Amino acid sequence: MSQIRKIVIPVAGHGTRVLPATKSIPKEMLPVVDKPLIDYVVAEALEAGIEHVIFVTGRGKSALEDYFDHAFELEAGLQAKNKTDILTEVRQPIRPPGSLCYTRQQSPAGLGHAIWCAREIVGNEPFAISLPDVIIRGTPGCLKEMVDQYKVCNGNIVAVEEVPREEVNKYGIIAPKSTDSDLMEMTGMVEKPTVEDAPSNFSITGRYILQPEIFSLLEKTEKGAGNEIQLTDAMAELMKAQSFFAYRFSGESHDCGSKLGWLKANMAFAKDRSEFTEDVAAYAKELFSI
Ligand code: G1P
């Protein structure tokens, strides 16, 4: 069994659900407390032992590249003023040379197409995918849990969580064989089903470990839900040939691609920061007259 060394993070989307904030900044750069979404997603991957991050990017996303690089003038200014604590934080996202790379999705043809764009860089080894709209609060992180499960089950794994039945049409939904344990065998999956057609209320939460055979299937996948090439459709094909599991992770997901999800994420992650916990709780009580 190969180690999971690489992750693909698709960052080409426009963030239409959080406009107008994303009119001039990439949605992945929206801050939660004091760090952009993408920082949380990359940190979760590094915690899982992943060494190489592949961003599938697009026009107007260069702020992401700058975030993970040196900012010489800023760093020199902080150094000159002896602001070493801030300097350490500013340098924290910088990774060893060659461990991050960027490739472009040249047309918005869907998530499946975005992942396929990374095929040459991933090569012939199992790899992870994280969708950057979703940040996950939990210790250990979701990907660390999935990599640990992968060591046991091999195959392919998607992270899942239960969602209200009336919201299944927003997600990829799996059909579990049994729900007795957190690692569930599956019998199917479908992208954005109607409430009537949904095989369960377990949604795919934007974290995946997949075998490289997904790429040849993505190449043949026709447009599906939303008239886009869907990763879920290619995974459903892969499931016919390889073992596939859904993993009920222990953390709490926050969909920061929605305004309410992003607001809640700010509150939740601020609560976790000891310097903010009490003040945030006191202000929330006062604001909402609780
Ligand atoms: C994507 C996936 C879907 C998954 C969701 C999680 O959908 O296609 O299977 O459940 O992310 O956020 P999107 O939100 O891009 O429409």
Side-chain angles (χ1 to χ4, degrees):
M1 185 199 333
S2 312
Q3 198 197 333
I4 307 299
R5 301 188 308 132
K6 298 181 182 177
I7 188 164
V8 178
I9 308 184
V11 294
H14 290 308
T16 42
R17 288 183 296 151
V18 274
L19 280 168
T22 45
K23 183 178 171 189
S24 55
I25 59 162
K27 68 174 168 183
E28 299 79 13
M29 294 304 293
L30 287 174
V32 167
V33 188
D34 56 0
K35 287 183 290 186
L37 294 180
I38 197 67
D39 189 297
Y40 292 90
V41 175
V42 169
E44 184 194 327
L46 299 178
E47 183 205 358
I50 286 163
E51 297 160 4
H52 189 162
V53 180
I54 302 155
F55 292 106
V56 180
T57 182
R59 288 177 69 80
K61 298 281 180 164
S62 56
L64 273 121
E65 296 183 36
D66 291 340
Y67 183 74
F68 289 102
D69 200 356
H70 282 285
F72 286 107
E73 283 180 19
L74 175 63
E75 289 175 42
L78 292 168
Q79 189 97 60
K81 289 180 185 147
N82 219 11
K83 296 194 170 177
T84 47
D85 287 358
I86 307 177
L87 187 59
T88 305
E89 288 189 83
V90 164
R91 285 180 174 159
Q92 166 269 322
I94 298 167
R95 307 299 314 146
S99 61
L100 300 178
C101 70
Y102 303 84
T103 189
R104 280 202 180 200
Q105 183 185 24
Q106 290 152 326
S107 59
L111 176 59
H113 177 258
I115 302 304
W116 177 77
C117 290
R119 68 202 178 283
E120 296 290 344
I121 311 173
V122 172
N124 190 27
E125 60 181 282
F127 65 105
I129 300 170
S130 279
L131 306 189
D133 290 0
V134 180
I135 58 172
I136 297 180
R137 192 168 154 242
T139 313
C142 179
L143 273 176
K144 169 87 176 75
E145 288 185 327
M146 289 174 74
V147 166
D148 288 346
Q149 293 297 327
Y150 177 74
K151 288 174 188 157
V152 179
C153 72
N154 218 334
N156 301 270
I157 315 180
V158 291
V160 295
E161 65 187 338
E162 290 188 75
V163 294
R165 193 90 209 171
E166 61 278 13
E167 289 182 17
V168 289
N169 61 350
K170 294 185 190 165
Y171 303 98
I173 299 292
I174 63 135
K177 207 180 237 178
S178 144
T179 56
D180 292 346
S181 76
D182 290 337
L183 189 68
M184 302 178 252
E185 274 190 69
M186 292 157 53
T187 56
M189 64 183 110
V190 53
E191 182 68 17
K192 303 195 174 70
T194 60
V195 176
E196 297 74 36
D197 292 342
S200 76
N201 67 331
F202 281 99
S203 78
I204 300 173
T205 315
R207 300 291 183 271
Y208 310 76
I209 291 178
L210 297 178
Q211 300 298 322
E213 286 75 20
I214 193 74
F215 291 119
S216 53
L217 294 169
L218 280 169
E219 188 140 0
K220 289 184 249 159
T221 302
E222 312 240 316
K223 287 180 180 172
N227 204 27
E228 294 186 338
I229 297 171
Q230 294 292 350
L231 178 60
T232 305
D233 294 343
M235 292 193 300
E237 279 304 306
L238 186 59
M239 212 176 73
K240 294 177 185 167
Q242 295 185 359
S243 60
F244 227 111
F245 297 87
Y247 178 64
R248 184 168 24 191
F249 61 99
S250 65
E252 172 191 291
S253 77
H254 290 273
D255 175 14
C256 296
S258 85
K259 293 177 186 178
L260 184 60
W262 176 79
L263 283 167
K264 286 184 178 175
N266 271 282
M267 293 184 71
F269 282 85
K271 177 175 179 280
D272 291 344
R273 294 272 294 268
S274 56
E275 73 268 44
F276 298 125
T277 315
E278 281 181 26
D279 287 343
V280 168
Y283 182 61
K285 274 188 191 164
E286 182 192 322
L287 188 65
F288 296 107
S289 314
I290 299 166

